[in-house]
Amino acid sequence: MLTFINWISVWAIPVIIAFVPLYAFTKKVPVYESFVDGAKDGFSTAISIIPHLVGMMVAISVFRASGALDYVISLFAPLVSWMGVPGEVLPLGILRPLTGTGSLAFTTDLIKTYGPDSMIGRMASTIQGSTDTTLYVLTVYFGAVGIRNGRYALKVGLFSDLVGFVAALAICLIVFG
């Protein structure tokens, strides 16, 4: 079974890359022209979301530099330590909805410090895979299509991040604890 999964992982992307243009060609779709049109649209989209990205990055930097992140962590540290969760992973639960790169750097640092097979390393990895960068997604995608009122999407996204964080911790404690 493992050999079959490895075979699929080796061949999946080359097959898809070959299949899509061949299928388009059989349907008489102008492949190159369609690609160029898509690239043009992508470039204009990238230009239109730059102000939203800059605003989000400034807000995250202010949140971290002001000490607000440390304050929020200090509020929740007693609760997570009571539950048997290492306090070192708590900042990841707060950073992950804000910044993908910042949370990945934090996860990398935790894994370098404690090791990938430690409880902290396993929890950090599981949290990284169980949550999303909600504010980034809302900023980029809503900004790209011009949605101005995303309050329900924000509530649902942050709630799903909380559920993913708690589930990641619980699963790690059950499986590895």
Side-chain angles (χ1 to χ4, degrees), residues 91-143:
L92 187 58
I94 297 167
L95 282 176
R96 182 70 176 143
L98 300 175
T99 170
T101 307
S103 64
L104 183 59
F106 190 80
T107 300
T108 302
D109 188 47
L110 287 176
I111 290 172
K112 281 182 184 175
T113 304
Y114 298 100
D117 293 329
S118 67
M119 181 59 88
I120 292 172
R122 289 175 174 164
M123 283 184 169
S125 299
T126 308
I127 292 165
Q128 191 74 13
S130 302
T131 56
D132 200 3
T133 54
T134 300
L135 296 179
Y136 175 82
V137 168
L138 292 179
T139 300
V140 171
Y141 297 126
F142 281 24

Side-chain angles (χ1 to χ4, degrees), residues 162-175:
L162 177 65
V163 169
F165 179 73
V166 171
L169 296 176
I171 289 169
C172 285
L173 287 172
I174 291 167
V175 173

Side-chain angles (χ1 to χ4, degrees), residues 1 29 58-59 67 92 112 156 163:
M1 182 67 166
V29 173
V58 168
L92 187 58
K112 281 182 184 175
V156 169
V163 169

